[in-house]
Amino acid sequence: MLKKFLNKIVVPITISIICGFISGKFIYNLYMENNDSLLKNNTIYLIESADYQSYDIMRENSQTNNYIYYQEKGTYKTVVGITKNQDNIKKISQVYDEDLKVSKYYLNDTNLNKKITNNDNLLSKANSNEEIKSIINETLSLYKENNNVKLTKIS
């Protein structure tokens, strides 16, 4: 009698739990792979020059003519470069002779991501400071053209 009970109820429940665990593990791994690749493909780096307490002070002290800025926690931050390629961060930093801060953001705009990737390819091949600055300015212009672009800070 006990053996019948075990065969009818406990064995199917145990098999169901095992199947559920395997299915859950498979779905979780599939989700994580897609999520990681999406995050990697849409990550950009903002190379920031400085933080300022007010808009007027930012305008007075900014060294370059071509930059973008954003306001975060009451301070204005000037961005002098945008890249998706970590190797290009050093190249951009060498053009500007100052301490630069790098912030990591998520950009969910497919068109802009493609354009930044194209400019990154050009930037990685560029050698002269003039050529590098030209590509940096073009990338900043791409961002300026898209006023409604939203970024999400990653770290």
Side-chain angles (χ1 to χ4, degrees), residues 68-95:
I68 56 177
Y69 70 92
Y70 65 97
Q71 189 176 9
E72 181 180 73
K73 297 180 184 173
T75 61
Y76 290 87
K77 300 181 183 239
T78 55
V79 177
V80 295
I82 300 173
T83 184
K84 294 181 71 155
N85 185 339
Q86 286 183 328
D87 296 332
N88 287 339
I89 293 172
K90 185 175 181 185
K91 209 173 233 190
I92 293 170
S93 297
Q94 288 173 344
V95 170

Short mmCIF file of all heavy atoms in Angstrom, two decimals, residues 68-95:
data_model
loop_
_atom_site.label_atom_id
_atom_site.label_comp_id
_atom_site.label_asym_id
_atom_site.label_seq_id
_atom_site.Cartn_x
_atom_site.Cartn_y
_atom_site.Cartn_z
N ILE A 68 29.38 68.82 -24.67
CA ILE A 68 27.99 68.75 -24.26
C ILE A 68 28.00 68.74 -22.74
O ILE A 68 29.03 68.47 -22.12
CB ILE A 68 27.27 67.50 -24.83
CG1 ILE A 68 28.00 66.22 -24.46
CG2 ILE A 68 27.09 67.63 -26.32
CD1 ILE A 68 27.31 64.95 -24.93
N TYR A 69 26.87 69.05 -22.15
CA TYR A 69 26.81 69.04 -20.70
C TYR A 69 25.49 68.46 -20.25
O TYR A 69 24.53 68.39 -21.02
CB TYR A 69 27.00 70.45 -20.13
CG TYR A 69 25.83 71.37 -20.39
CD1 TYR A 69 24.80 71.50 -19.45
CD2 TYR A 69 25.75 72.12 -21.55
CE1 TYR A 69 23.72 72.33 -19.68
CE2 TYR A 69 24.68 72.95 -21.78
CZ TYR A 69 23.67 73.06 -20.84
OH TYR A 69 22.60 73.88 -21.08
N TYR A 70 25.47 68.03 -19.02
CA TYR A 70 24.23 67.57 -18.40
C TYR A 70 24.28 67.94 -16.93
O TYR A 70 25.35 68.22 -16.37
CB TYR A 70 24.01 66.07 -18.60
CG TYR A 70 25.00 65.17 -17.93
CD1 TYR A 70 24.73 64.60 -16.70
CD2 TYR A 70 26.22 64.86 -18.53
CE1 TYR A 70 25.63 63.75 -16.08
CE2 TYR A 70 27.12 64.02 -17.92
CZ TYR A 70 26.83 63.47 -16.70
OH TYR A 70 27.73 62.64 -16.09
N GLN A 71 23.11 67.98 -16.35
CA GLN A 71 23.02 68.35 -14.94
C GLN A 71 22.68 67.09 -14.13
O GLN A 71 21.78 66.35 -14.47
CB GLN A 71 21.95 69.40 -14.74
CG GLN A 71 21.94 69.99 -13.36
CD GLN A 71 20.92 71.12 -13.22
OE1 GLN A 71 20.12 71.35 -14.09
NE2 GLN A 71 20.98 71.81 -12.10
N GLU A 72 23.46 66.89 -13.06
CA GLU A 72 23.24 65.75 -12.19
C GLU A 72 23.50 66.16 -10.75
O GLU A 72 24.57 66.68 -10.43
CB GLU A 72 24.18 64.60 -12.59
CG GLU A 72 24.00 63.35 -11.75
CD GLU A 72 24.96 62.26 -12.17
OE1 GLU A 72 26.16 62.37 -11.90
OE2 GLU A 72 24.49 61.30 -12.80
N LYS A 73 22.52 65.95 -9.91
CA LYS A 73 22.63 66.26 -8.47
C LYS A 73 23.09 67.69 -8.23
O LYS A 73 23.97 67.94 -7.40
CB LYS A 73 23.56 65.27 -7.78
CG LYS A 73 23.08 63.84 -7.82
CD LYS A 73 24.03 62.91 -7.12
CE LYS A 73 23.55 61.48 -7.28
NZ LYS A 73 24.50 60.52 -6.76
N GLY A 74 22.55 68.62 -8.98
CA GLY A 74 22.85 70.03 -8.75
C GLY A 74 24.15 70.53 -9.35
O GLY A 74 24.49 71.69 -9.18
N THR A 75 24.90 69.68 -10.04
CA THR A 75 26.13 70.13 -10.68
C THR A 75 26.03 69.94 -12.19
O THR A 75 25.31 69.08 -12.67
CB THR A 75 27.37 69.36 -10.17
OG1 THR A 75 27.20 67.98 -10.48
CG2 THR A 75 27.56 69.53 -8.67
N TYR A 76 26.76 70.77 -12.92
CA TYR A 76 26.82 70.67 -14.37
C TYR A 76 28.10 69.94 -14.73
O TYR A 76 29.18 70.28 -14.27
CB TYR A 76 26.82 72.07 -15.00
CG TYR A 76 25.50 72.77 -14.87
CD1 TYR A 76 25.19 73.52 -13.74
CD2 TYR A 76 24.55 72.66 -15.87
CE1 TYR A 76 23.97 74.15 -13.61
CE2 TYR A 76 23.32 73.29 -15.75
CZ TYR A 76 23.04 74.04 -14.62
OH TYR A 76 21.83 74.66 -14.50
N LYS A 77 27.96 68.92 -15.57
CA LYS A 77 29.10 68.11 -15.98
C LYS A 77 29.32 68.31 -17.47
O LYS A 77 28.39 68.18 -18.26
CB LYS A 77 28.86 66.64 -15.66
CG LYS A 77 28.65 66.42 -14.17
CD LYS A 77 28.43 64.97 -13.84
CE LYS A 77 28.16 64.84 -12.38
NZ LYS A 77 29.09 63.99 -11.71
N THR A 78 30.56 68.61 -17.86
CA THR A 78 30.89 68.80 -19.27
C THR A 78 31.49 67.52 -19.83
O THR A 78 32.38 66.93 -19.24
CB THR A 78 31.87 69.97 -19.45
OG1 THR A 78 33.02 69.74 -18.65
CG2 THR A 78 31.24 71.28 -19.07
N VAL A 79 30.99 67.12 -20.98
CA VAL A 79 31.44 65.91 -21.65
C VAL A 79 32.21 66.32 -22.89
O VAL A 79 31.69 67.02 -23.76
CB VAL A 79 30.23 65.02 -22.05
CG1 VAL A 79 30.69 63.79 -22.81
CG2 VAL A 79 29.44 64.62 -20.81
N VAL A 80 33.48 65.90 -22.97
CA VAL A 80 34.33 66.26 -24.10
C VAL A 80 34.53 65.10 -25.07
O VAL A 80 35.12 65.29 -26.13
CB VAL A 80 35.70 66.79 -23.62
CG1 VAL A 80 35.53 68.09 -22.85
CG2 VAL A 80 36.43 65.75 -22.77
N GLY A 81 34.02 63.93 -24.74
CA GLY A 81 34.14 62.79 -25.65
C GLY A 81 33.15 61.69 -25.32
O GLY A 81 32.75 61.53 -24.17
N ILE A 82 32.75 60.97 -26.35
CA ILE A 82 31.85 59.83 -26.22
C ILE A 82 32.44 58.68 -27.03
O ILE A 82 32.82 58.87 -28.18
CB ILE A 82 30.43 60.14 -26.75
CG1 ILE A 82 29.81 61.31 -26.00
CG2 ILE A 82 29.53 58.92 -26.66
CD1 ILE A 82 28.49 61.78 -26.60
N THR A 83 32.50 57.51 -26.41
CA THR A 83 33.02 56.34 -27.13
C THR A 83 32.37 55.08 -26.58
O THR A 83 31.85 55.06 -25.47
CB THR A 83 34.56 56.26 -27.00
OG1 THR A 83 35.02 55.17 -27.80
CG2 THR A 83 35.01 56.05 -25.58
N LYS A 84 32.41 54.03 -27.38
CA LYS A 84 31.95 52.71 -26.94
C LYS A 84 33.15 51.79 -26.72
O LYS A 84 33.02 50.74 -26.14
CB LYS A 84 31.03 52.10 -27.99
CG LYS A 84 29.73 52.85 -28.17
CD LYS A 84 28.87 52.20 -29.19
CE LYS A 84 28.37 50.93 -28.60
NZ LYS A 84 27.17 50.39 -29.08
N ASN A 85 34.30 52.22 -27.20
CA ASN A 85 35.50 51.41 -27.19
C ASN A 85 36.42 51.86 -26.06
O ASN A 85 36.88 52.99 -26.04
CB ASN A 85 36.20 51.56 -28.55
CG ASN A 85 37.40 50.67 -28.71
OD1 ASN A 85 37.98 50.21 -27.73
ND2 ASN A 85 37.79 50.45 -29.94
N GLN A 86 36.71 50.97 -25.13
CA GLN A 86 37.56 51.33 -23.99
C GLN A 86 38.97 51.75 -24.41
O GLN A 86 39.59 52.56 -23.75
CB GLN A 86 37.64 50.17 -22.99
CG GLN A 86 36.38 50.00 -22.20
CD GLN A 86 36.50 48.90 -21.16
OE1 GLN A 86 37.20 47.92 -21.36
NE2 GLN A 86 35.80 49.07 -20.05
N ASP A 87 39.46 51.20 -25.51
CA ASP A 87 40.79 51.57 -25.99
C ASP A 87 40.83 53.03 -26.44
O ASP A 87 41.88 53.68 -26.38
CB ASP A 87 41.22 50.66 -27.14
CG ASP A 87 41.37 49.21 -26.69
OD1 ASP A 87 41.66 48.99 -25.49
OD2 ASP A 87 41.19 48.31 -27.52
N ASN A 88 39.71 53.54 -26.92
CA ASN A 88 39.67 54.93 -27.39
C ASN A 88 39.62 55.95 -26.25
O ASN A 88 39.88 57.12 -26.47
CB ASN A 88 38.47 55.14 -28.32
CG ASN A 88 38.68 54.50 -29.67
OD1 ASN A 88 39.80 54.23 -30.08
ND2 ASN A 88 37.60 54.25 -30.37
N ILE A 89 39.30 55.50 -25.06
CA ILE A 89 39.26 56.42 -23.91
C ILE A 89 40.63 57.05 -23.70
O ILE A 89 40.76 58.26 -23.52
CB ILE A 89 38.79 55.69 -22.63
CG1 ILE A 89 37.32 55.25 -22.78
CG2 ILE A 89 38.96 56.57 -21.41
CD1 ILE A 89 36.81 54.35 -21.67
N LYS A 90 41.66 56.24 -23.76
CA LYS A 90 43.03 56.74 -23.58
C LYS A 90 43.39 57.71 -24.69
O LYS A 90 44.01 58.75 -24.45
CB LYS A 90 44.01 55.58 -23.53
CG LYS A 90 45.42 55.99 -23.22
CD LYS A 90 46.34 54.80 -23.07
CE LYS A 90 47.74 55.28 -22.74
NZ LYS A 90 48.69 54.18 -22.71
N LYS A 91 42.99 57.38 -25.91
CA LYS A 91 43.29 58.24 -27.05
C LYS A 91 42.62 59.61 -26.89
O LYS A 91 43.23 60.65 -27.16
CB LYS A 91 42.79 57.56 -28.33
CG LYS A 91 43.55 57.91 -29.55
CD LYS A 91 43.09 57.05 -30.70
CE LYS A 91 44.29 56.39 -31.31
NZ LYS A 91 44.02 55.72 -32.56
N ILE A 92 41.37 59.62 -26.44
CA ILE A 92 40.65 60.87 -26.23
C ILE A 92 41.30 61.65 -25.09
O ILE A 92 41.47 62.87 -25.17
CB ILE A 92 39.16 60.61 -25.95
CG1 ILE A 92 38.48 60.03 -27.20
CG2 ILE A 92 38.45 61.88 -25.49
CD1 ILE A 92 37.07 59.51 -26.97
N SER A 93 41.67 60.96 -24.03
CA SER A 93 42.29 61.62 -22.88
C SER A 93 43.62 62.28 -23.23
O SER A 93 43.96 63.32 -22.67
CB SER A 93 42.52 60.61 -21.75
OG SER A 93 41.29 60.10 -21.31
N GLN A 94 44.37 61.69 -24.14
CA GLN A 94 45.65 62.25 -24.53
C GLN A 94 45.50 63.55 -25.32
O GLN A 94 46.38 64.40 -25.28
CB GLN A 94 46.46 61.24 -25.35
CG GLN A 94 46.98 60.10 -24.50
CD GLN A 94 47.64 59.01 -25.31
OE1 GLN A 94 47.47 58.92 -26.52
NE2 GLN A 94 48.38 58.13 -24.63
N VAL A 95 44.39 63.71 -26.01
CA VAL A 95 44.16 64.93 -26.79
C VAL A 95 43.95 66.12 -25.86
O VAL A 95 44.43 67.21 -26.11
CB VAL A 95 42.96 64.75 -27.74
CG1 VAL A 95 42.55 66.06 -28.36
CG2 VAL A 95 43.29 63.74 -28.81
#
